[in-house]
Amino acid sequence: MSGNSFGQLFRIHTFGESHGHSVGVVIDGCPANIKLDIKAIQFELTRRKPGQSKITTPRNEQDSLEILSGIEGDITLGGPICITVKNKDQRKKDYTDIHKVFRPSHSDYTYHSKYQIHASSGGGRSSARETIGRVVAGAIAKQVIKKFVPEYDTIAFVQSVHQVNFKTSDYKEWNTIKKVRDDTEKSIVRCPHAETSQRMEECIVNAKSQGDTVGGVIQSMTYNTPVGLGDPVFDKLEANLAKAVLSIPACKGFDIGSGFSGTTMLGSEHNDAFYHKNNKVRTHTNHSGGIQGGISNGELIVLKAAFKPVSTIFKQQDTVSKTDLTKTVYKPQSGRHDPCVLPRAVPIVEAMVHLCIVDSLLKQRALQLNA
Amino acid sequence: MSGNSFGQLFRIHTFGESHGHSVGVVIDGCPANIKLDIKAIQFELTRRKPGQSKITTPRNEQDSLEILSGIEGDITLGGPICITVKNKDQRKKDYTDIHKVFRPSHSDYTYHSKYQIHASSGGGRSSARETIGRVVAGAIAKQVIKKFVPEYDTIAFVQSVHQVNFKTSDYKEWNTIKKVRDDTEKSIVRCPHAETSQRMEECIVNAKSQGDTVGGVIQSMTYNTPVGLGDPVFDKLEANLAKAVLSIPACKGFDIGSGFSGTTMLGSEHNDAFYHKNNKVRTHTNHSGGIQGGISNGELIVLKAAFKPVSTIFKQQDTVSKTDLTKTVYKPQSGRHDPCVLPRAVPIVEAMVHLCIVDSLLKQRALQLNA
Amino acid sequence: MSGNSFGQLFRIHTFGESHGHSVGVVIDGCPANIKLDIKAIQFELTRRKPGQSKITTPRNEQDSLEILSGIEGDITLGGPICITVKNKDQRKKDYTDIHKVFRPSHSDYTYHSKYQIHASSGGGRSSARETIGRVVAGAIAKQVIKKFVPEYDTIAFVQSVHQVNFKTSDYKEWNTIKKVRDDTEKSIVRCPHAETSQRMEECIVNAKSQGDTVGGVIQSMTYNTPVGLGDPVFDKLEANLAKAVLSIPACKGFDIGSGFSGTTMLGSEHNDAFYHKNNKVRTHTNHSGGIQGGISNGELIVLKAAFKPVSTIFKQQDTVSKTDLTKTVYKPQSGRHDPCVLPRAVPIVEAMVHLCIVDSLLKQRALQLNA
Amino acid sequence: MSGNSFGQLFRIHTFGESHGHSVGVVIDGCPANIKLDIKAIQFELTRRKPGQSKITTPRNEQDSLEILSGIEGDITLGGPICITVKNKDQRKKDYTDIHKVFRPSHSDYTYHSKYQIHASSGGGRSSARETIGRVVAGAIAKQVIKKFVPEYDTIAFVQSVHQVNFKTSDYKEWNTIKKVRDDTEKSIVRCPHAETSQRMEECIVNAKSQGDTVGGVIQSMTYNTPVGLGDPVFDKLEANLAKAVLSIPACKGFDIGSGFSGTTMLGSEHNDAFYHKNNKVRTHTNHSGGIQGGISNGELIVLKAAFKPVSTIFKQQDTVSKTDLTKTVYKPQSGRHDPCVLPRAVPIVEAMVHLCIVDSLLKQRALQLNA
């Protein structure tokens, strides 16, 4: 109810402020007796952590997970799994000025208006550190899905940064999951196309050098989703994915399949014709993005998430302050911020997709007569 | 849990198949002792109903609401409000062929896979008739919001049809809610700009004449939302709006504020500078779309919803059938379908926005010390 | 959230006031493609209906169900099932006086305080007519359970009326479900022991003749529940059953297994020793009432529900009125009320048990690796 | 959904096994900007902790709370509050035998059947240590309630132990909350009547000396509840209280107001006549237990909770084991168990009542027009 939970059967509750004791997550509804690969969970956290490359914030956090409950050795017990990560490099002083002024396009003003209080340092709950719990839970969700659907996978990558676009038809390896993943991880931007990745990196470095920031688009592709996931009418799979993606900090848009560009097509162009192959019903095109009538049809689930440029820039801006509503200015003197969130947002998008899929999958098992 | 409910405190449950006895909605959590304008609810239903103009389906439904519970005279009792609309013009025979073949880009295949059964006529739950319950509930939600925030309103309009775009800067009346509404309702397409509306209408008529269909974009603007609505982190106001909008049939994309186009801006261009006017904190620009950190900031909430072209076209298409998975073809002989859903989707988008706002508003009242 | 829903995966929403248009229920989460026995649903409604014997209220209602959605022919479609029953014998004038005075131990005062309005006739939502939706949903739930567990059954019966107790050890047929059911239904009180039933009937008739009312205890026994239902720690099976039972109008107490009487036993007397028979783990005694640690252990689930005497008596009582808070008196001139709710509450208790079991069963299927 | 959460607006999630790293709770929905008395929270934990007297288990735990999130200094931030208590005195070896055999009336068999795995030491989630999170959350809930209703309080006490009954009419101080609380806390049994407390203590010591255990009844009284809390029909206040109480380990029964004993009264005896005093509507008697029609009426909320005798006895018992389903015997050689849970269950009952009240209170604020 109060906004810090996601999912229904596989339900997560994140907690923690960016400069408090810890951030973490409670996962309720993870099936019992599953042997987890704990290193794989930590691996995802490391993909998300700050300081991983020259284009990410220099905040120095190891982000090592600590298991408080629900797992014995590496086996799930069926009870709630609580995993935390301590906040170490907090530097409370870095942020002393931010509570005097409302930083433009940050949540300072809205949090203050809603709660009449704000964490004294850092972004509190609006910090990207909150997503640590999502990444942990997503990594576990993926392992649970693979117990039921071994060939399942979701890969996200950066499709654009500012005005640098990755034309996905320029890349030829989409059908080899491992290759896509390896090529994506080789790139510090997380774009599998080396040449485009290089241009994106230059774009980010350039913005950073000017104290400015850039946004972009992440695309996510889910392979081998079983047919039948998603619940009409309000819990359509794409509706849950949209909510999942829009709940990520800085996300401003969501597309499934043809999305906005599909609005300029004719019905006769857009319809995905069915055919039959290897005992499966398939579609020739995939403008539907793997979901029809809110239910997965077995094709690749393709979605896009738009991220705005980071709000923290190192330029002077007009604003007002909590104590003086007349005009003031704001310019951070220093700080540890990403010039572009997209590279680190890739594992977060993947995590949110895993969480949607695992929840739909468990629900589907509950209601099918012959599950 | 099972997908037919939306909202938490102001919670709705829709029910009904397109060719069954009735469609309807149960609304639980409507405050007691509110005097409703029943005609205003019926008015919204009439905006959504088929056959309202030459560019909508000729299915002949009056869509008159019937109140089964929760309202006495026109006063809410505090208990669940059940309102139904009977299905009258069902013509079961129109659809006898559709259950032999899986119509391309319809939900026939996925419903069949998920449920192993499908309503014998029409789209069942995937029909747009399901949205009747949403429009009824949304109309009540709006009246509830206005009890607390009299100046509240949401207006949606058609921003594009196929390749016809309405450049919103060409229209000058955005600040006069009544004028925007009147101009929108004057247009059978529901675009407030008369000249663009005319071109959109021609585009739809032209597609129809060729047995084809078109999609487009609806924009929604919410005026006078109180500051403070929305719940970090998963129930951010934009996340709930995204889910609400993506749950509408045929919707494939969602944008809040600058959305996808904001991804090509620099942070220094995108940030919304605060200023102070008439004892209120305001922003000069509104790339945030009225929401920052998941919480409304009092500016106009601006969102876009992308709708694909309607799947029912009157052209022969390749497909497979339930009984024969090898190739077959499908061409509807007749039928009553919209060549473009957008004009009728406008009140549905508005309804979903009302439902998000009323729920956040009630939640906010619960948790504020000085509500 | 707002109190008119029960269950999570198999979720019901009841609606309707006693003197409004209809009462009914929406059931969301019923698996698709189940062939229902509609007559069996109507049969349960008829067990609950007024006027069924000389010891029940003479309100004349046929309580015939009408299916609005979710079922085609007699097959479930997987969407929400809406079933209504019209209110026919409303006699609004019978109740004109009750809204001037707060009838003692009725909900008049609390509803008025909470909602500042009350249905102008009858009890509104606090009427026992609300339970029609529960009985319909429970009857469907039972049929769903039996698809998975054919030997499942729940039988409730009247264990005491006022000071007339049925000593259950006096009855020898507990192991023959059909016999218990037949003997119970033969009795207009719904006590399977003919001699005790006769004494209970006399007690009720006697109270009625004096314008007074009586309460009592219903016992429910669930046969052949699968091992493993119920979710620690807050959704323990007995916790859900307790809520289910206490939500029935006039219910004031709940016992599982040894219940209150078990509090006077020693641990060495109370513990249920395990043994092994026919490849099953069983217990010699069943003080646990079929649930241990919140999870069913496969033994008979035995619970008791205490019902207070009906509040509507035909004697003059002191009270206050809405318009005059100083002393007034209340004496109904006529009216159609049960002198004892227990006979008609038996199918309601059964329905609530079915609803708890079906929900736990579906949840268990979702989370088991090898369901 | 998966059983470890309670409440809707003020929602808690407990986690942790008895012999794992920590136990704890996440509280979501606590209003922001409330100054908490942290010592008062720890005080309740200390009332619950083991080893507090000669009649409680000698397990040696300080049970010191640690705040991970949601509170800065002592002020709530509006985000989720995570509080943990480390498990220190775990003695894993104490329990090595218990996973070979199914201890009678414990959850060993049902957990094993449901999850196919069980925490290797201790009771895992079925341990009473899980209730630490409830007590922490309840203590915070109480402080939140008192922000809105300063005169609110709930006091529970032991009403019976085995066959020793406290006749509450023998105690004369019920109207002085502080006196009742002081007298209760003076007693190691937590019965405010000194002479009865002495006899209860003797009863417990006697059972312990024989390696046996005893149960009993706890009564809880809630003072100064606002009129209007509770939501018909399924979330009646007594239904929520029943679930809350039955979710406590070892609880087997629940009574509200007259409860089971009210079933032998006539309606004319049982009805609570209204009168008017000091501008308030009151009732002369309180057989309703402060709740009518599921909604609080402002009178004392009186409930009872039945607790069975503790299952761990130091006597040889017949049972079966996981590996050998034929007969075996079980006798704990040592262990640290309470001979009677009631003294330590008193603060847990209070906590569960606070949690029900705070949730109803926040919900009521959301839906009232003039809150």
Side-chain angles (χ1 to χ4, degrees):
Chain A
M1 266 302 300
S2 293
N4 299 287
S5 301
F6 188 82
Q8 296 179 313
L9 279 166
F10 189 98
R11 188 161 174 82
I12 74 166
H13 316 290
T14 70
F15 58 87
E17 289 80 34
S18 61
H19 289 61
H21 178 287
S22 310
V23 293
V25 66
V26 175
I27 304 162
D28 200 9
C30 183
N33 211 10
I34 290 186
K35 187 179 170 63
L36 293 177
D37 179 344
I38 306 292
K39 280 184 189 163
I41 305 169
Q42 181 63 52
F43 177 77
E44 294 300 323
L45 270 187
T46 302
R47 290 177 78 207
R48 197 218 70 95
K49 92 181 172 74
Q52 62 184 266
S53 77
K54 65 183 175 185
I55 57 171
T56 61
T57 169
R59 179 169 169 157
N60 181 21
E61 294 281 3
Q62 284 312 307
D63 287 351
S64 301
L65 64 84
E66 189 167 15
I67 298 170
L68 301 197
S69 73
I71 298 173
E72 193 168 306
D74 54 4
I75 311 288
T76 61
L77 292 170
I81 296 170
C82 182
I83 293 180
T84 58
V85 166
K86 287 211 176 67
N87 294 318
K88 292 189 171 162
D89 185 17
Q90 304 168 356
R91 303 202 194 167
K92 294 213 175 195
K93 61 185 178 318
D94 278 16
Y95 295 89
T96 42
D97 54 344
I98 72 173
H99 293 83
K100 294 181 192 148
V101 298
F102 296 138
R103 292 169 297 163
S105 287
H106 277 82
S107 62
D108 301 340
Y109 169 62
T110 53
Y111 268 63
H112 175 71
S113 300
K114 186 178 186 76
Y115 300 117
Q116 289 90 48
I117 187 173
H118 201 293
S120 68
S121 296
R125 286 296 284 165
S126 71
S127 163
R129 282 193 74 69
E130 178 275 328
T131 62
I132 283 176
R134 306 180 184 216
V135 170
V136 166
I140 293 175
K142 178 177 169 179
Q143 296 187 33
V144 172
I145 298 167
K146 289 177 83 75
K147 284 282 162 191
F148 298 107
V149 189
E151 65 279 18
Y152 166 86
D153 212 344
T154 291
I155 299 182
F157 59 86
V158 174
Q159 192 264 317
S160 76
V161 168
H162 197 233
Q163 293 172 355
V164 183
N165 260 276
F166 167 31
K167 207 177 146 195
T168 53
S169 57
D170 287 350
Y171 182 80
K172 304 301 179 193
E173 314 284 354
W174 297 118
N175 290 329
T176 313
I177 298 177
K178 191 183 174 322
K179 175 73 175 154
V180 182
R181 181 172 296 290
D182 288 350
D183 287 345
T184 303
E185 288 309 297
K186 253 184 272 175
S187 150
I188 63 171
V189 181
R190 290 204 166 88
C191 172
H193 191 256
E195 187 266 334
T196 311
S197 172
Q198 181 59 33
R199 288 166 51 221
M200 289 173 168
E201 187 183 324
E202 286 161 15
C203 172
I204 296 170
V205 168
N206 185 41
K208 186 183 178 185
S209 71
Q210 296 172 37
D212 218 325
T213 59
V214 285
V217 173
I218 287 175
Q219 181 167 329
S220 165
M221 303 186 310
T222 299
Y223 293 82
N224 301 314
T225 310
V227 183
L229 304 193
D231 285 85
V233 297
F234 295 109
D235 289 341
K236 290 186 170 83
L237 189 51
E238 68 266 46
N240 284 346
L241 287 166
K243 174 165 178 162
V245 162
L246 262 294
S247 75
I248 301 174
C251 184
K252 306 292 285 180
F254 172 86
D255 244 14
I256 183 82
S258 63
F260 279 90
S261 66
T263 64
T264 60
M265 298 168 79
L266 292 169
S268 55
E269 298 164 332
H270 193 272
N271 278 359
D272 296 318
F274 287 112
Y275 70 104
H276 180 253
K277 189 177 172 185
N278 297 336
N279 216 22
K280 281 189 183 167
V281 173
R282 301 292 309 274
T283 63
H284 285 295
T285 50
N286 186 22
H287 297 119
S288 300
I291 306 176
Q292 293 177 326
I295 302 168
S296 60
N297 68 357
E299 299 297 321
L300 201 62
I301 296 177
V302 183
L303 65 84
K304 285 184 187 160
F307 289 86
K308 68 169 185 175
V310 174
S311 302
T312 301
I313 56 173
F314 295 90
K315 297 188 168 188
Q316 180 169 311
Q317 299 166 82
D318 290 342
T319 188
V320 300
S321 81
K322 204 189 301 188
T323 44
D324 177 6
L325 288 177
T326 60
K327 192 173 177 181
T328 182
V329 293
Y330 173 66
K331 186 185 175 187
Q333 293 311 304
S334 70
R336 297 163 300 164
H337 288 279
D338 293 273
C340 177
V341 295
L342 280 90
R344 292 178 58 207
V346 163
I348 304 171
V349 169
E350 289 176 3
M352 294 312 297
V353 174
H354 298 322
L355 290 168
C356 288
I357 297 291
V358 77
D359 202 41
S360 299
L361 181 68
L362 296 181
K363 219 187 297 184
Q364 181 66 353
R365 291 172 54 79
L367 294 180
Q368 275 196 323
L369 285 188
N370 310 309
Chain B
M1 264 303 301
S2 293
N4 299 286
S5 301
F6 188 82
Q8 295 179 312
L9 279 166
F10 190 97
R11 186 160 176 82
I12 73 166
H13 318 289
T14 70
F15 58 87
E17 290 79 35
S18 60
H19 289 63
H21 179 287
S22 309
V23 293
V25 66
V26 175
I27 303 163
D28 199 8
C30 183
N33 212 10
I34 291 187
K35 186 179 171 62
L36 294 177
D37 179 345
I38 307 293
K39 280 184 188 162
I41 305 170
Q42 181 64 54
F43 177 77
E44 294 299 324
L45 269 187
T46 302
R47 290 177 76 207
R48 196 219 72 97
K49 92 180 172 75
Q52 61 184 267
S53 77
K54 64 184 175 185
I55 56 171
T56 61
T57 169
R59 180 168 170 158
N60 181 21
E61 295 280 3
Q62 285 313 307
D63 287 350
S64 301
L65 64 85
E66 190 167 14
I67 297 170
L68 302 197
S69 73
I71 298 172
E72 192 168 306
D74 53 3
I75 310 288
T76 60
L77 291 170
I81 297 169
C82 182
I83 293 180
T84 59
V85 167
K86 287 213 176 66
N87 294 319
K88 293 189 169 163
D89 185 17
Q90 303 168 354
R91 301 200 196 167
K92 292 215 175 192
K93 62 183 178 310
D94 279 16
Y95 296 88
T96 42
D97 54 344
I98 72 171
H99 293 85
K100 295 180 191 150
V101 299
F102 296 138
R103 291 169 298 163
S105 288
H106 277 82
S107 62
D108 301 340
Y109 169 63
T110 52
Y111 269 63
H112 174 72
S113 300
K114 186 179 185 76
Y115 299 117
Q116 289 90 48
I117 188 174
H118 200 294
S120 69
S121 296
R125 285 297 283 164
S126 70
S127 162
R129 281 192 76 69
E130 178 274 329
T131 61
I132 284 176
R134 306 181 186 216
V135 170
V136 166
I140 293 176
K142 178 176 168 179
Q143 295 187 35
V144 172
I145 299 166
K146 289 177 82 75
K147 283 283 161 190
F148 299 107
V149 189
E151 65 278 20
Y152 166 85
D153 211 345
T154 290
I155 298 181
F157 59 86
V158 176
Q159 191 264 317
S160 76
V161 168
H162 196 233
Q163 293 173 354
V164 182
N165 261 276
F166 166 30
K167 207 177 146 196
T168 52
S169 58
D170 286 349
Y171 182 79
K172 305 300 179 196
E173 314 283 353
W174 298 118
N175 289 330
T176 314
I177 298 178
K178 192 183 172 322
K179 175 74 175 155
V180 182
R181 180 171 298 290
D182 288 349
D183 286 344
T184 303
E185 287 310 296
K186 253 184 272 173
S187 151
I188 64 172
V189 182
R190 291 204 166 87
C191 172
H193 191 257
E195 186 265 334
T196 310
S197 172
Q198 182 58 35
R199 288 166 51 220
M200 288 172 169
E201 187 183 323
E202 287 160 15
C203 172
I204 296 170
V205 168
N206 184 42
K208 187 183 177 187
S209 71
Q210 296 171 36
D212 218 324
T213 59
V214 287
V217 172
I218 287 175
Q219 181 167 329
S220 166
M221 302 186 311
T222 299
Y223 293 82
N224 301 315
T225 310
V227 183
L229 304 193
D231 285 86
V233 297
F234 294 108
D235 289 342
K236 290 186 170 84
L237 189 51
E238 67 267 46
N240 284 346
L241 287 166
K243 174 166 180 162
V245 162
L246 262 294
S247 75
I248 301 173
C251 184
K252 306 292 286 180
F254 173 86
D255 246 13
I256 183 83
S258 64
F260 279 90
S261 67
T263 64
T264 60
M265 297 168 79
L266 292 170
S268 55
E269 298 164 333
H270 193 272
N271 279 359
D272 295 320
F274 287 113
Y275 70 105
H276 180 253
K277 188 176 172 186
N278 298 334
N279 216 20
K280 280 188 184 168
V281 173
R282 302 291 310 272
T283 62
H284 285 294
T285 51
N286 186 21
H287 297 119
S288 300
I291 306 176
Q292 293 177 322
I295 301 167
S296 60
N297 69 356
E299 299 296 321
L300 201 62
I301 295 178
V302 182
L303 63 85
K304 285 183 186 159
F307 288 86
K308 68 170 186 175
V310 175
S311 302
T312 301
I313 57 174
F314 295 91
K315 298 187 169 191
Q316 181 170 310
Q317 300 166 82
D318 291 341
T319 188
V320 299
S321 82
K322 202 189 304 189
T323 45
D324 178 6
L325 288 177
T326 60
K327 193 172 175 182
T328 183
V329 293
Y330 173 66
K331 186 184 175 187
Q333 294 310 304
S334 70
R336 297 163 300 166
H337 289 278
D338 294 273
C340 177
V341 296
L342 280 89
R344 293 178 58 208
V346 163
I348 304 171
V349 169
E350 289 177 2
M352 296 310 298
V353 174
H354 297 323
L355 290 168
C356 289
I357 298 292
V358 77
D359 202 43
S360 299
L361 181 68
L362 295 181
K363 217 186 299 183
Q364 181 66 353
R365 289 172 55 80
L367 294 179
Q368 275 195 325
L369 286 188
N370 310 310
Chain C
M1 264 304 301
S2 293
N4 299 286
S5 302
F6 189 82
Q8 295 179 312
L9 279 167
F10 190 97
R11 187 161 176 81
I12 74 166
H13 318 289
T14 70
F15 58 86
E17 290 80 35
S18 60
H19 289 61
H21 178 287
S22 311
V23 293
V25 65
V26 175
I27 303 163
D28 199 8
C30 184
N33 212 10
I34 291 186
K35 188 179 169 61
L36 293 177
D37 179 346
I38 307 292
K39 281 186 187 161
I41 305 169
Q42 181 62 55
F43 178 77
E44 294 301 323
L45 270 188
T46 303
R47 291 177 76 208
R48 195 219 73 95
K49 91 181 173 74
Q52 62 183 267
S53 78
K54 64 183 176 186
I55 56 171
T56 60
T57 169
R59 179 169 170 157
N60 182 22
E61 295 280 3
Q62 285 313 308
D63 287 351
S64 301
L65 64 84
E66 189 167 15
I67 297 170
L68 301 197
S69 73
I71 297 173
E72 192 168 306
D74 54 4
I75 311 287
T76 60
L77 291 171
I81 297 169
C82 182
I83 293 180
T84 59
V85 167
K86 287 213 176 67
N87 295 318
K88 293 188 171 163
D89 186 16
Q90 303 168 356
R91 303 199 194 169
K92 294 213 175 193
K93 61 184 179 312
D94 279 16
Y95 295 88
T96 42
D97 54 344
I98 72 173
H99 293 84
K100 294 180 190 148
V101 299
F102 297 137
R103 292 169 297 164
S105 288
H106 277 80
S107 62
D108 301 339
Y109 169 63
T110 53
Y111 268 63
H112 175 71
S113 300
K114 186 179 185 76
Y115 300 117
Q116 288 90 48
I117 188 175
H118 201 293
S120 69
S121 296
R125 284 296 284 164
S126 70
S127 162
R129 281 193 75 69
E130 177 274 329
T131 62
I132 284 176
R134 305 181 186 216
V135 169
V136 166
I140 293 176
K142 178 177 168 178
Q143 295 187 34
V144 173
I145 299 167
K146 289 176 83 72
K147 283 283 161 190
F148 298 108
V149 189
E151 65 279 19
Y152 166 85
D153 212 344
T154 290
I155 299 181
F157 59 86
V158 175
Q159 192 264 317
S160 76
V161 168
H162 196 232
Q163 293 172 356
V164 183
N165 259 276
F166 167 29
K167 207 178 146 195
T168 53
S169 57
D170 286 351
Y171 182 79
K172 304 301 178 195
E173 313 285 353
W174 297 118
N175 290 329
T176 314
I177 299 178
K178 190 183 174 321
K179 175 73 175 153
V180 182
R181 181 170 297 290
D182 288 349
D183 287 345
T184 302
E185 287 309 296
K186 254 185 274 175
S187 150
I188 62 172
V189 183
R190 292 206 165 87
C191 172
H193 191 256
E195 187 266 333
T196 310
S197 172
Q198 183 57 35
R199 288 166 50 219
M200 289 172 169
E201 186 183 325
E202 287 161 15
C203 172
I204 295 169
V205 168
N206 186 42
K208 186 183 177 185
S209 72
Q210 294 170 39
D212 218 325
T213 59
V214 286
V217 173
I218 287 175
Q219 181 167 328
S220 166
M221 302 187 311
T222 299
Y223 293 81
N224 301 314
T225 309
V227 183
L229 304 193
D231 286 85
V233 297
F234 294 109
D235 289 342
K236 289 186 170 86
L237 189 51
E238 68 267 46
N240 284 347
L241 288 165
K243 174 165 180 162
V245 162
L246 260 295
S247 75
I248 301 173
C251 183
K252 306 292 286 181
F254 172 85
D255 245 14
I256 183 81
S258 64
F260 279 90
S261 66
T263 64
T264 60
M265 298 168 79
L266 292 169
S268 56
E269 298 163 334
H270 192 272
N271 278 359
D272 295 321
F274 286 114
Y275 71 103
H276 180 253
K277 190 176 172 186
N278 298 336
N279 216 22
K280 280 190 183 165
V281 173
R282 301 289 311 272
T283 63
H284 285 295
T285 50
N286 186 22
H287 297 119
S288 300
I291 306 176
Q292 292 177 325
I295 301 168
S296 61
N297 69 357
E299 299 296 320
L300 201 62
I301 296 178
V302 183
L303 64 84
K304 285 184 186 159
F307 288 86
K308 68 169 186 176
V310 174
S311 302
T312 302
I313 57 174
F314 295 91
K315 299 187 168 190
Q316 181 169 311
Q317 301 165 81
D318 291 342
T319 188
V320 299
S321 81
K322 203 189 303 187
T323 45
D324 177 6
L325 288 177
T326 60
K327 193 173 176 180
T328 183
V329 294
Y330 174 65
K331 186 184 175 188
Q333 293 310 304
S334 70
R336 297 162 301 164
H337 288 279
D338 295 273
C340 177
V341 295
L342 280 89
R344 291 178 59 207
V346 162
I348 304 171
V349 169
E350 290 176 3
M352 295 311 297
V353 174
H354 297 322
L355 290 168
C356 289
I357 297 292
V358 76
D359 201 43
S360 298
L361 181 68
L362 295 181
K363 217 186 300 183
Q364 182 65 355
R365 291 173 54 79
L367 294 180
Q368 275 196 323
L369 285 188
N370 310 310
Chain D
M1 264 301 302
S2 293
N4 299 287
S5 301
F6 188 82
Q8 295 179 313
L9 279 166
F10 190 97
R11 187 159 175 82
I12 73 166
H13 318 289
T14 71
F15 58 86
E17 290 79 35
S18 60
H19 289 62
H21 178 288
S22 310
V23 292
V25 65
V26 175
I27 304 163
D28 199 8
C30 183
N33 212 10
I34 291 187
K35 186 179 170 63
L36 294 177
D37 179 345
I38 307 292
K39 280 185 189 161
I41 305 169
Q42 181 63 52
F43 177 77
E44 294 300 324
L45 270 188
T46 302
R47 288 177 77 207
R48 197 218 72 96
K49 90 180 173 75
Q52 62 185 267
S53 78
K54 65 183 176 185
I55 57 171
T56 61
T57 170
R59 179 168 170 158
N60 181 21
E61 295 281 4
Q62 284 313 308
D63 287 352
S64 301
L65 64 84
E66 189 166 16
I67 297 170
L68 302 197
S69 73
I71 297 172
E72 192 168 305
D74 53 4
I75 311 288
T76 60
L77 291 170
I81 297 169
C82 182
I83 293 180
T84 58
V85 166
K86 287 213 176 66
N87 294 317
K88 293 189 171 162
D89 186 17
Q90 304 169 355
R91 301 200 195 168
K92 292 215 175 192
K93 62 185 179 311
D94 278 16
Y95 294 89
T96 44
D97 55 343
I98 72 173
H99 293 84
K100 295 179 190 148
V101 298
F102 296 138
R103 291 169 297 162
S105 287
H106 277 81
S107 63
D108 301 340
Y109 169 63
T110 53
Y111 268 63
H112 175 72
S113 300
K114 186 179 186 76
Y115 300 117
Q116 290 90 48
I117 188 175
H118 201 293
S120 68
S121 297
R125 284 296 284 163
S126 71
S127 161
R129 282 192 75 69
E130 177 274 329
T131 61
I132 284 176
R134 306 180 185 216
V135 170
V136 166
I140 293 175
K142 178 176 168 178
Q143 296 187 35
V144 173
I145 300 166
K146 289 176 83 72
K147 284 282 161 191
F148 298 107
V149 189
E151 64 280 17
Y152 166 85
D153 211 345
T154 290
I155 299 183
F157 59 87
V158 175
Q159 191 265 318
S160 77
V161 168
H162 197 232
Q163 293 172 355
V164 182
N165 260 277
F166 166 31
K167 209 178 144 195
T168 52
S169 58
D170 287 351
Y171 182 80
K172 305 300 179 197
E173 313 284 353
W174 298 118
N175 290 330
T176 315
I177 298 178
K178 191 184 174 321
K179 175 73 175 155
V180 183
R181 181 172 296 290
D182 288 350
D183 286 345
T184 303
E185 288 308 298
K186 254 186 271 174
S187 150
I188 63 172
V189 182
R190 291 206 166 87
C191 173
H193 191 256
E195 187 266 333
T196 310
S197 172
Q198 181 59 35
R199 287 166 50 219
M200 289 173 169
E201 186 183 325
E202 286 161 14
C203 171
I204 295 170
V205 168
N206 185 41
K208 186 185 178 185
S209 72
Q210 295 171 38
D212 218 326
T213 59
V214 287
V217 173
I218 288 174
Q219 181 168 328
S220 165
M221 302 187 311
T222 299
Y223 293 81
N224 301 315
T225 310
V227 183
L229 304 193
D231 286 85
V233 297
F234 295 108
D235 289 341
K236 289 186 170 85
L237 190 52
E238 66 268 45
N240 284 347
L241 288 165
K243 174 165 180 162
V245 162
L246 261 293
S247 75
I248 301 173
C251 183
K252 306 291 286 180
F254 172 85
D255 245 13
I256 183 82
S258 63
F260 280 90
S261 67
T263 65
T264 60
M265 297 168 80
L266 292 170
S268 56
E269 298 163 334
H270 193 272
N271 278 0
D272 295 319
F274 287 112
Y275 71 103
H276 180 252
K277 190 176 170 184
N278 297 335
N279 215 21
K280 280 190 184 167
V281 174
R282 301 290 311 271
T283 63
H284 285 295
T285 51
N286 186 22
H287 297 120
S288 301
I291 306 175
Q292 293 176 326
I295 301 167
S296 60
N297 69 356
E299 298 296 321
L300 201 63
I301 296 178
V302 183
L303 63 85
K304 284 184 186 159
F307 288 86
K308 68 171 186 175
V310 174
S311 301
T312 301
I313 57 173
F314 295 91
K315 297 187 169 191
Q316 181 168 310
Q317 299 166 82
D318 291 341
T319 189
V320 299
S321 82
K322 202 188 304 188
T323 46
D324 177 7
L325 288 177
T326 61
K327 192 174 176 182
T328 183
V329 293
Y330 172 65
K331 187 184 175 186
Q333 294 310 304
S334 70
R336 296 161 302 165
H337 288 279
D338 294 272
C340 177
V341 295
L342 280 89
R344 292 178 58 207
V346 163
I348 304 171
V349 170
E350 290 175 2
M352 294 311 297
V353 174
H354 298 322
L355 290 168
C356 289
I357 297 292
V358 77
D359 202 42
S360 299
L361 181 68
L362 295 182
K363 218 186 299 183
Q364 182 65 355
R365 290 172 54 80
L367 294 180
Q368 275 196 325
L369 286 188
N370 311 310

